[in-house]
Amino acid sequence: MKITHIEHLGIAVNSIEEALPYYENVLGFKCYNIETVEDQKVRTAFLKVGGTKIELLEATGPESAVAKFIESRGQGVHHVAFAVEDGVAGALAEAEGKGVRLIDKSPRKGAEGLNIAFLHPKSTQGVLTELCEPQK
Ligand code: CMX
């Protein structure tokens, strides 16, 4: 697979409204989009940081992956998303062929309408890893 850059860092927060003043007023980033990704049970806020982004993740219900994460580990870095230039489907097949456990067997639509897929943290050295189509 050809990874070109970190597309975004996902950060789990209790509340986007409570977290944003730190990112905007202290660090000086600008939130440009807030959306709900229904099938992931998360609300997301995106901020640009140079050539990459931060995605704040707020759970929309107790069964959300983000709610479970915060319950066991507290707020903090939740995942890293890499931009794959030559397609998420091919990258998934390659990762699986190299013994990596897939969470998503095929690409699906994530925040910002991009094709994405997750690799299981138990086979990625402890870091939940997202493979992501680069934004045009
Ligand atoms: N980073 C690293 N490790 C993590 C983790 C994370 N974000 N979330 C869970 N884990 C660890 C747990 O601590 C646990 O480890 P131990 O067994 O050592 O305690 C282990 O993974 C649990 O694995 P599991 O029982 O297979 O799975 P869970 O039910 O806890 O779910 C995960 C974990 C990663 C499979 C699930 O959260 C998932 O499918 N995530 C992908 C989807 C997602 O995160 N969506 C939200 C963001 C969506 C978006 O960005 O749009």
Side-chain angles (χ1 to χ4, degrees):
M1 67 185 81
K2 185 153 183 231
I3 288 176
T4 52
H5 59 283
I6 292 177
E7 214 282 336
H8 64 265
L9 274 184
I11 298 179
V13 297
N14 292 325
S15 154
I16 284 175
E17 276 64 33
E18 282 171 21
L20 269 182
Y22 166 68
Y23 288 95
E24 294 198 307
N25 303 337
V26 179
L27 299 183
F29 307 145
K30 181 99 192 76
C31 173
Y32 65 91
N33 186 35
I34 295 184
E35 69 177 289
T36 298
V37 184
E38 298 286 355
D39 71 326
Q40 290 297 299
K41 302 184 173 66
V42 290
R43 230 175 121 232
T44 67
F46 278 93
L47 304 100
K48 283 214 168 69
V49 185
T52 188
K53 304 170 202 162
I54 283 177
E55 177 189 32
L56 301 179
L57 294 158
E58 176 190 293
T60 58
E63 64 300 334
S64 162
V66 169
K68 288 184 197 161
F69 176 87
I70 289 179
E71 198 182 308
S72 63
R73 297 180 172 217
Q75 298 190 102
V77 176
H78 178 262
H79 66 265
V80 58
F82 294 111
V84 190
E85 196 178 68
D86 46 354
V88 175
L92 274 182
E94 183 183 332
E96 189 170 37
K98 290 179 174 171
V100 174
R101 181 170 156 197
L102 308 184
I103 292 175
D104 298 299
K105 298 282 177 203
S106 54
R108 58 181 173 76
K109 292 283 176 213
E112 303 195 301
L114 300 178
N115 282 323
I116 62 137
F118 282 94
L119 309 179
H120 199 286
K122 286 293 167 192
S123 63
T124 56
Q125 311 301 315
V127 178
L128 177 60
T129 300
E130 180 179 339
L131 301 176
C132 187
E133 164 195 20
Q135 201 156 35
K136 301 281 184 279

